[in-house]
Amino acid sequence: MFVLVNLKTYPCDPLEVAEAVRDVDDETDARIAVAPQATHLERVAETGAETWAQHVDPIDYGSNTGHTLAETVADAGADGTLLNHSEQRLKLADIDGAVQAAQRADLETIVCANNPAQIGAAAALGPDAVAVEPPELIGTGTPVSQADPDIVEDAVDAAANVDDDVDVLCGAGISTGDDVVAAGDLGAEGVLLASGVAKADDPRAALEDLVEPL
Ligand code: G3P
């Protein structure tokens, strides 16, 4: 299973979480990565943790004040990028452009979507993976695998109908090892999560609990 910890703009210590991600990843069969804020990418990547951006823009080098260029994210040490997160929604044409920008910079891509219909559309854009996250469950601590298991299974089917090579992750409310196992049982190849680790008093212990049953 792939476990991607999105730090959003939570007031956690990104280096403390990154060091925990690096160490717990070494101790388990799970693949664990961390997505800090853009300004923390370089320092987080230097810890040796697998590092992802939270977003890149559908742009190339040039006149794009205030935008995030995929090549700069890659230069900072990122291995991949989330796109179209529920908190950073893009128009369809911009998701397409951002996937292409990320691929140009050799970044792995996960396109987020609200529901199975959007997952099908996202998969058609050729990312490495898609992630279904019902926005109403984000940050609630109620796992999508429990509150809405059908949405995960339907997302897996929707992606497979478009492109068998696109992996499917799920997210929202995931905070325990049982939640991760349940996601895998529904056909997901990974999970996206944030508050369960970023808001934990002890992020390392939270991560260890998450991957303990894997
Ligand atoms: O990107 C993951 C995220 O949106 C889920 O957040 O806090 O419900 O784990 P959370």
Side-chain angles (χ1 to χ4, degrees), residues 168-201:
V168 179
L169 289 76
C170 66
I174 290 172
S175 64
T176 70
D178 287 348
D179 300 343
V180 180
V181 169
D185 290 345
L186 292 167
E189 276 142 307
V191 294
L192 288 186
L193 65 108
S195 45
V197 171
K199 291 173 81 174
D201 291 336

Side-chain angles (χ1 to χ4, degrees), residues 84-186:
N84 195 46
H85 190 278
S86 191
E87 293 146 13
Q88 181 63 285
R89 281 280 178 243
L90 301 173
K91 295 177 186 163
L92 185 62
D94 289 338
I95 303 171
D96 190 20
V99 168
Q100 290 177 38
Q103 289 173 344
R104 193 183 65 218
D106 285 330
L107 293 169
E108 206 173 320
T109 49
I110 298 176
V111 176
C112 302
N114 287 4
N115 56 45
Q118 290 179 19
I119 284 287
L125 300 175
D128 296 294
V130 290
V132 65
E133 290 201 318
E136 66 279 9
L137 295 177
I138 291 177
T140 60
T142 301
V144 58
S145 48
Q146 202 180 83
D148 203 348
D150 289 351
I151 207 170
V152 181
E153 290 181 317
D154 291 349
V156 170
D157 289 344
N161 284 338
V162 173
D163 185 346
D164 258 346
D165 290 336
V166 176
D167 289 342
V168 179
L169 289 76
C170 66
I174 290 172
S175 64
T176 70
D178 287 348
D179 300 343
V180 180
V181 169
D185 290 345
L186 292 167

